[in-house]
């Protein structure tokens, strides 16, 4: 949605975007260079890398200010974006209020079995994904648009477009003729848009726990002409019938789930896939695929930027978990600089 933002609020958000861009683009680059000068044989293990970077850069101004600004911006996004959304409440509510009989559907389930880890307050959101009734717009049209697109976030570096990778991930699916495509953890529908572009003839289902994200996805679908079926359910227990989906797509979900949940979700995806169906996942590459400094920057998010499962995710052997869940032909590889997005894909034996 194109939110009408007042000049004062927009200036405040622009400031955060510029600050994040300076931290990520200038300070972090200086810190990376300094670390490379000081540590010619960086350690292999993640914990040792963390110790090494903290020791080597413990008094390095650019590193300390990069981290300070990154944390400050992450907190401040909501402090500024929520009042900015409130100023435009009437226009946002009008955009969200789409006719029930428009193509596609949204089925909310207030009694959904929400796992405890979901309430971790991801990305330092005030109150979590559903901490404010306009959180879909707050995150997407204010936070991403004004701050994180220009500034970068997580594995997406300053200056890179964090929307480009979704289409690339969808294109990694080996076929184009799936009857049904499912995305779990579909958020506000950004990946669903890419899936609809790559698989225009498929029925598209999005599953998500957050009501604000689902309401946003539904409004997006109606305004942009998609007939997505949107369901509020945990990815671990979708409620979908056995063998009912040709392709499962998962984008940037597993760095937000604890390993036990990740295993459960993979088992559930195997159950709902038709024989011969595919799963394609895109997320951050495991730590050993990133240089020592870069892996510590990502790992830092665990304790300082509301990504409680980033550390366990970075050390996860996803291909083995896929095989344990029953998948065959499992492949894992990176696209683009820094192996982002990292693709893990596999098949359920059989013929579609
Ligand atoms: C980083 S967002 C990615 C959203 C979307 N895939 C995209 O490409 O924009 C992760 C999403 O997963 C959702 N999520 C987290 N745990 C979930 C679970 N167990 N079941 C369903 N959705 C979940 C969150 O609410 C959030 O919207």
């Amino acid at each position: 949605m194109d939110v009408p933002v007042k000049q004062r609020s927009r200036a405040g958000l622009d400031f955060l975007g510029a600050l994040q861009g300076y931290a990520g683009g200038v300070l972090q680059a200086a810190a990376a260079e300094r670390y490379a000068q000081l540590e010619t044989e960086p350690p292999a293990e993640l914990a040792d890398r963390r110790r090494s970077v903290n020791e080597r850069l413990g008094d390095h101004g650019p590193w300390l200010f990069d981290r300070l600004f990154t944390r400050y911006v992450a907190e401040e996004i909501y402090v500024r974006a929520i009042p900015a959304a409130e100023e435009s409440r009437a226009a946002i509510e009008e955009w969200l209020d789409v006719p029930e009989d428009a193509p596609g559907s949204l089925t909310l389930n207030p009694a959904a079995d929400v796992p405890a880890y979901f309430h971790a307050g991801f990305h330092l959101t005030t109150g979590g994904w559903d901490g404010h009734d306009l959180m879909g717009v707050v995150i997407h049209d204010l936070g991403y648009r004004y701050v994180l697109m220009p500034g970068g976030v997580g594995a997406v570096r300053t200056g890179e477009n964090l929307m480009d990778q979704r289409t690339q991930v969808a294109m990694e699916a080996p076929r184009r003729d799936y009857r049904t495509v499912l995305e779990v953890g579909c958020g506000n529908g950004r990946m669903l848009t890419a899936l609809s572009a790559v698989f225009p003839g498929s029925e598209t289902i999005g599953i998500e726990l957050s009501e604000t994200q689902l309401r946003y996805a539904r409004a997006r679908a109606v305004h942009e002409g998609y007939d997505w079926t949107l369901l509020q359910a945990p990815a671990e227990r979708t409620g979908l019938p056995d063998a009912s989906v040709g392709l499962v797509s998962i984008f940037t979900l597993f760095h937000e789930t604890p390993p036990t949940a990740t295993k459960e979700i993979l088992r559930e995806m195997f159950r709902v896939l038709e024989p011969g169906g595919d799963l394609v996942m895109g997320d951050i590459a495991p730590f050993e695929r990133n240089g020592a400094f870069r892996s510590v920057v990502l790992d830092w998010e665990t304790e300082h930027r509301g990504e409680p499962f980033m550390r366990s995710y970075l050390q996860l052997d996803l291909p083995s978990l896929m095989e344990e869940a029953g998948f065959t032909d499992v492949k894992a590889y990176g696209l683009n600089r820094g192996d982002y997005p990292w693709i893990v894909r596999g098949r359920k034996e059989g013929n579609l």
Side-chain angles (χ1 to χ4, degrees), residues 115 117-118 129 166 183 185-187 190-191 208-210 213 233-236 251-253 256-257:
Y117 66 81
F118 186 69
W129 289 107
R166 290 176 173 80
E183 189 199 0
C186 68
R190 288 170 296 181
M191 181 72 197
E208 165 62 50
L209 274 170
S210 157
Q213 299 301 306
E236 294 88 328
F251 188 75
T252 60
L253 170 65
E256 292 190 359
T257 52

Side-chain angles (χ1 to χ4, degrees), residues 115-134:
Y117 66 81
F118 186 69
H119 299 294
F122 288 98
H123 307 171
L124 306 180
T125 42
T126 312
W129 289 107
D130 287 337
H132 188 276
D133 68 323
L134 305 180

